[in-house]
Amino acid sequence: MNKPDALNGKVLLVDDDPFVLREYGKLLERMGLQVSFATDGQLALECFGRQPIDVVVTDLAMPTMGGLHFLRELRKINVDVPVILITGSPDVQTAVAALEYGAFHYLTKPVSPDKFKGTLSRALAFRALDRLHRAGDENGSKPGMPAFAALEARFEAALSNLWIAFQPIVSWSRKGAFAYEALVRSTEPSMNNPGLLFDAADQLGRMLHLGRAIRAKVADTISRHPDKRFFVNLNPIELNDDELHSSGCPLAPFANQIVFEVTERTALASVSGVTAQIERLRKNGYQIAVDDLGAGYASLSSFIHIEPDFVKVDLSLVRDLHLSPRKRTLIRGINQICVKDLGISVICEGVEKAEERDVLLAEGIDFLQGYYFARPSPALEIVNFQQGTPETPEPDKADQSSRRAS
């Protein structure tokens, strides 16, 4: 039975020095704690897949994976567990970095047993409160946890694991793919939905970093397909990124193959000199499209302001178009204004059924995109016009949310 002042919990002790592991381990056990040991950061990370851990105590300086590196990697898989860093060579910069990446406490050697026990006691209490809070709040909010640091760690992991899917935009009259839209994806489990990735970039102020990473990935594919046209999503915030307009932009050598698809027009008002920035892109050889016409907050004045080469009609207008005379009237009006009056090409996305396709063709729409023709894929799919998709499943949320910004 534990003594009244004994601590209760499971501690993971990480240090590359066997003597330190042994002595600190004895001290922790005398406090009433269960102790697991790891001699480097990588082995410590593996422990999280095998057993529950309440607190981590780790040395800062280790040859294989140092304490800060371990902390960053840990936050990708676990944002809750308190981490106590111990170092014999303290400095302000390291201490600040430790707190930014979610260290619970930063201790300097030699650590007195009383101070060590007091820090562990607070960490265990924090862990217990966090679990109680989770039990009473289905949203699992974590008061006091460095959510910003955890989000940044996951975002970095997502950036490192980006890949691009391509969905064809077809020309019915030509019976072929007119272009391919580039849609961002990531194998990072916590951000495998593009909407989460873009939200994280927005919260962290990292939209420019995300845009640059995506353009680099897209350029790699374009370089292997010099005869294809590609639509690349562009958040309005990126219009003020000098890299986008420079000759050093990964897409610059392929500008005549690129249509930048400007998304989230509600943010246009916050971008200085939109018209001038768009004109800079045009002078560099790019074309411009505006996305989501008909989504509810868009207006034709946005198109006149940007003077795009293409507009994309939102899937909400296309969905079950054959059952809605009102939607058909709207599509007809959009086509009239954009194509005949303004000379802007119209693309209808979200086509899932032959009936939707037939109405669009009857209204003179030639450029179509949607699951009826092909799903997004790492490869540039060849569209089979002889047979459509007989039964199209519901589109996954990733395809819809990935249209937001890249």
Side-chain angles (χ1 to χ4, degrees):
M1 182 173 179
N2 289 337
K3 298 177 182 179
D5 61 345
L7 301 180
N8 184 27
K10 298 180 180 179
V11 176
L12 174 62
L13 182 60
V14 190
D15 201 298
D16 63 312
D17 188 330
F19 174 79
V20 172
L21 284 179
R22 184 173 63 253
E23 295 304 311
Y24 273 74
K26 290 179 181 177
L27 179 59
L28 292 169
E29 288 173 348
R30 285 198 295 271
M31 294 177 184
L33 296 165
Q34 301 177 48
V35 187
S36 296
F37 302 91
T39 54
D40 62 48
Q42 187 58 52
L43 291 174
L45 290 174
E46 294 173 4
C47 290
F48 280 85
R50 299 195 299 265
Q51 57 185 302
I53 295 169
D54 296 309
V55 179
V56 177
V57 177
T58 179
D59 188 26
L60 192 61
M62 293 182 288
T64 304
M65 180 186 287
L68 281 180
H69 186 186
F70 162 65
L71 182 55
R72 287 195 295 269
E73 294 301 310
L74 174 61
R75 289 308 181 217
K76 297 175 185 178
I77 60 174
N78 189 306
V79 299
D80 302 314
V81 65
V83 177
I84 300 170
L85 285 169
I86 301 179
T87 180
S89 304
D91 65 76
V92 174
Q93 184 176 0
T94 303
V96 170
L99 294 175
E100 286 179 347
Y101 280 98
F104 179 81
H105 213 292
Y106 182 86
L107 297 176
T108 302
K109 296 177 181 178
V111 183
S112 71
D114 287 343
K115 185 175 182 61
F116 195 27
K117 184 174 182 178
T119 303
L120 282 164
S121 178
R122 290 192 298 274
L124 289 165
F126 177 88
R127 184 66 161 150
L129 285 172
D130 178 68
R131 284 174 171 155
L132 285 173
H133 183 83
R134 280 182 170 276
D137 184 354
E138 63 181 9
N139 294 321
S141 57
K142 298 174 280 297
M145 283 299 293
F148 184 91
L151 182 64
E152 186 171 48
R154 291 182 176 184
F155 179 74
E156 288 292 343
L159 278 185
S160 300
N161 292 282
L162 287 184
W163 63 280
I164 304 296
F166 297 92
Q167 187 176 35
I169 299 169
V170 307
S171 168
W172 185 263
S173 64
R174 303 174 196 176
K175 294 297 187 291
F178 166 74
Y180 292 86
E181 181 178 359
L183 300 166
V184 67
R185 301 286 188 267
S186 178
T187 56
E188 161 58 28
S190 65
M191 293 188 184
N192 55 11
N193 183 312
L196 298 175
L197 179 63
F198 297 128
D199 285 343
D202 186 44
Q203 292 180 48
L204 296 169
R206 300 287 300 278
M207 195 63 75
L208 297 189
H209 294 87
L210 178 57
R212 291 179 180 185
I214 292 171
R215 290 195 291 274
K217 289 286 185 181
V218 174
D220 182 58
T221 296
I222 295 177
S223 65
R224 300 192 297 273
H225 299 279
D227 59 334
K228 308 293 185 184
R229 181 186 280 108
F230 294 85
F231 279 59
V232 180
N233 291 298
L234 189 71
N235 188 287
I237 294 172
E238 296 177 72
L239 289 171
N240 286 329
D241 184 4
D242 288 336
E243 190 265 3
L244 174 68
H245 303 278
S246 73
S247 59
C249 176
L251 295 179
F254 318 106
N256 63 345
Q257 297 173 245
I258 302 297
V259 180
F260 278 126
E261 191 171 319
V262 181
T263 62
E264 301 206 14
R265 288 169 305 288
T266 51
L268 279 175
S270 64
V271 178
S272 60
V274 172
T275 302
Q277 302 291 30
I278 292 291
E279 188 57 30
R280 288 178 69 187
L281 291 176
R282 282 206 171 90
K283 287 181 178 179
N284 288 335
Y286 302 105
Q287 289 184 296
I288 306 297
V290 173
D291 195 14
D292 297 335
L293 175 59
Y297 54 80
S299 67
L300 284 175
S301 62
S302 299
F303 307 138
I304 296 170
H305 185 64
I306 295 177
E307 298 182 359
D309 303 284
F310 302 89
V311 297
K312 300 187 77 174
V313 176
D314 187 68
L315 57 82
S316 64
L317 283 183
V318 175
R319 183 72 51 81
D320 293 326
L321 173 64
H322 57 294
L323 302 177
S324 173
R326 179 170 294 183
K327 286 184 178 181
R328 182 165 184 165
T329 299
L330 285 171
I331 292 286
R332 184 183 304 129
I334 289 170
N335 197 45
Q336 168 71 39
I337 294 171
C338 290
V339 177
K340 297 180 181 178
D341 297 344
L342 299 176
I344 300 171
S345 297
V346 173
I347 299 168
C348 286
E349 58 186 1
V351 181
E352 298 180 13
K353 302 172 183 176
E355 294 87 349
E356 296 165 347
R357 176 206 65 188
D358 292 342
V359 172
L360 293 170
L361 294 176
E363 294 299 337
I365 307 293
D366 185 46
F367 296 131
L368 310 171
Q369 180 180 359
Y371 280 13
Y372 180 82
F373 299 100
R375 286 177 170 272
S377 167
L380 303 189
E381 295 290 340
I382 298 175
V383 181
N384 186 346
F385 285 87
Q386 300 305 314
Q387 56 182 38
T389 306
E391 292 185 8
T392 306
E394 281 295 311
D396 60 50
K397 294 180 180 179
D399 296 328
Q400 297 183 31
S401 58
S402 63
R403 300 184 187 285
R404 297 180 53 196
S406 344

